[in-house]
Amino acid sequence: MARIENSMYTPNITTYTYPGTLAKEIIQKPKIDTPPLSALYSIRNGVRSKEQLHLMNPLTSVLAKGTATCEPTYTQSGSITGRTIETGLFELNLSWCKKEFQGLLSTYNALGDDPALVGDGLAGYELGGKLRSLIVDEVLEAARLDVWKISFLGQSAYSGSSVYSTIDGLWTAYLDGFASYCIKPVRNNLPNGSDSVLNTGDAVATFRMMWGQAPILLKQMFTSGRVKLFVTGSMWENYYDSLIADCCVEGSWNMGQDGKTKLYCRGIELVPLWVIDSALENEETPYTDILRHFAIMTLPENNVFGVENQSDLNNIELCYDCRTKTTYLQGEMRFGVNYINCDLTVIAY
């Protein structure tokens, strides 16, 4: 059987020149927070490959001018159209090996020599204890961020990454809708370089345009509290800066001193997607240097996240193979996204 090399989290510190205490604590770095998927999407379980949603289009008019005849003219109207959710297959395949984690006997590292992390003898070959918990936590956190980035930025035509090209993400669906005169963009001239910075007041001006040009159907629904503004963290920051600098004297002072964890525009809550900022600024994605700042005014239920089984999104299986003395970490999930109605979304970028 082929041997899997380069197991995960093998320490790369093997020599120490300072004759002090060698700490054996492993410190985890904080991760970028994300809202629950249900904040942006309506979750549909049981979508293994494709699902066709049937959309009943409203009737534009049914009344006719009355006549004196006893046999009026009857007409037929109304249509049902479709919207497709297509999922893609994603896998998680990782491995851990005791010997690679410890290194050679002559070059033991402090972590590999800690029995609280790696057991003695044969008992240490199967990943367990504190180290197991740490690694599983890191894997699940990375998977959470991957799901967010791929479901939003995926593009099947992208040739730079096999994982981003598995499905068309929500932003790709929006742009396809824009090209077919379905989704309405009210602005497409925000800075787009990966390191670009918004001008003062860009967010305020953008939100005003989005409200002013939003379809009536979407605009009148804001009183329900269901309409949200999903924005990059950069747009959230730019809007906050405007509120502090140009708002209302004492109110601006209090915002600058006390801080706000939630921001609103015309009563519509802003939901920052910092994970997308991080991807667009630091990673190679289908939209790197094409998109950097955006705002989406929509209802979460108008976006659909189809998944074969939602529990798969945070489920991994660990199994130990005594022949290779390796612990394998496996996961599998299928998901895909789309929007439903054209006139319930406005975008700016």
Side-chain angles (χ1 to χ4, degrees), residues 3-71:
R3 181 82 172 94
I4 295 180
E5 302 293 341
N6 301 318
S7 71
M8 61 188 314
Y9 283 111
T10 298
N12 61 3
I13 302 174
T14 56
T15 59
Y16 302 88
T17 57
Y18 178 69
T21 301
L22 299 180
K24 297 180 180 180
E25 177 187 4
I26 298 178
I27 302 172
Q28 291 179 277
K29 183 178 180 179
K31 314 300 186 298
I32 292 177
D33 195 16
T34 58
L37 286 169
S38 57
L40 179 60
Y41 303 99
S42 171
I43 310 297
R44 293 183 68 89
N45 256 310
V47 185
R48 174 164 290 183
S49 177
K50 288 185 180 181
E51 182 168 276
Q52 190 76 24
L53 303 180
H54 303 106
L55 313 181
M56 178 174 283
N57 297 298
L59 298 173
T60 56
S61 178
V62 294
L63 296 182
K65 183 178 180 179
T67 66
T69 178
C70 291
E71 296 182 6

Side-chain angles (χ1 to χ4, degrees), residues 14-220:
T14 56
T15 59
Y16 302 88
T17 57
Y18 178 69
T21 301
L22 299 180
K24 297 180 180 180
E25 177 187 4
I26 298 178
I27 302 172
Q28 291 179 277
K29 183 178 180 179
K31 314 300 186 298
I32 292 177
D33 195 16
T34 58
L37 286 169
S38 57
L40 179 60
Y41 303 99
S42 171
I43 310 297
R44 293 183 68 89
N45 256 310
V47 185
R48 174 164 290 183
S49 177
K50 288 185 180 181
E51 182 168 276
Q52 190 76 24
L53 303 180
H54 303 106
L55 313 181
M56 178 174 283
N57 297 298
L59 298 173
T60 56
S61 178
V62 294
L63 296 182
K65 183 178 180 179
T67 66
T69 178
C70 291
E71 296 182 6
T73 301
Y74 289 87
T75 60
Q76 295 181 349
S77 61
S79 65
I80 296 177
T81 57
R83 186 81 70 199
T84 302
I85 304 172
E86 185 169 356
T87 64
L89 173 64
F90 298 88
E91 296 178 346
L92 186 157
N93 298 297
L94 299 166
S95 69
W96 180 87
C97 173
K98 170 187 174 181
K99 287 186 176 179
E100 291 174 7
F101 183 84
Q102 287 184 322
L104 299 176
L105 291 176
S106 59
T107 58
Y108 258 23
N109 56 71
L111 298 178
D113 201 24
D114 184 357
L117 296 176
V118 181
D120 296 329
L122 291 176
Y125 279 102
E126 183 172 357
L127 180 63
K130 181 180 179 181
L131 186 59
R132 177 190 177 112
S133 298
L134 289 169
I135 288 179
V136 167
D137 181 65
E138 292 291 333
V139 171
L140 290 176
E141 284 291 283
R144 170 180 63 86
L145 297 178
D146 281 346
V147 169
W148 263 98
K149 292 184 288 188
I150 296 166
S151 65
F152 193 88
L153 298 172
Q155 184 188 79
S156 59
Y158 183 54
S159 60
S161 165
S162 59
V163 69
Y164 275 110
S165 64
T166 307
I167 62 170
D168 282 333
L170 186 62
W171 189 257
T172 300
Y174 283 162
L175 293 187
D176 288 346
F178 164 39
S180 61
Y181 304 98
C182 178
I183 295 291
K184 184 175 183 178
V186 302
R187 184 174 188 179
N188 62 358
N189 60 349
L190 291 171
N192 57 19
S194 60
D195 58 352
S196 62
V197 178
L198 290 167
N199 298 313
T200 301
D202 268 348
V204 171
T206 299
F207 299 159
R208 284 175 180 164
M209 294 171 63
M210 296 180 76
W211 174 261
Q213 299 182 43
I216 293 174
L217 180 62
L218 175 61
K219 189 180 294 187
Q220 58 90 38

